[in-house]
Amino acid sequence: MTAIAIVAICAWALVSIVDSAKDKSKRKLNNKEADAYKAEIAELKERVSVLEKIVTDERYDLKKQFADLEKDRVA
């Protein structure tokens, strides 16, 4: 559940950055600013991709289940 929240937050941040970039593009970004935004968006896309792989990995769910069982055993 936490991982889903992380992915959702990253997606929201990515959309916010893109929307912000669109707003700023109306005032004509210089090349330096445009390149910085493009690099940041590419980095965020890569991070979201990695998070999606982790969250959808069967082993992630299995590790979480083991951790939950361990918590129940200790408590």
Side-chain angles (χ1 to χ4, degrees), residues 29-70:
L29 293 176
N30 64 32
N31 287 339
K32 196 175 194 179
E33 287 177 318
D35 290 342
Y37 281 123
K38 287 177 185 178
E40 187 173 5
I41 289 171
E43 181 183 326
L44 287 171
K45 284 182 179 180
E46 180 63 29
R47 292 174 71 183
V48 168
S49 175
V50 169
L51 287 172
E52 286 174 340
K53 288 177 186 175
I54 291 169
V55 171
T56 57
D57 189 336
E58 292 175 8
R59 292 176 292 169
Y60 172 82
D61 188 48
L62 188 59
K63 286 179 188 177
K64 184 177 178 335
Q65 289 175 9
F66 281 131
D68 290 344
L69 287 173
E70 185 66 30

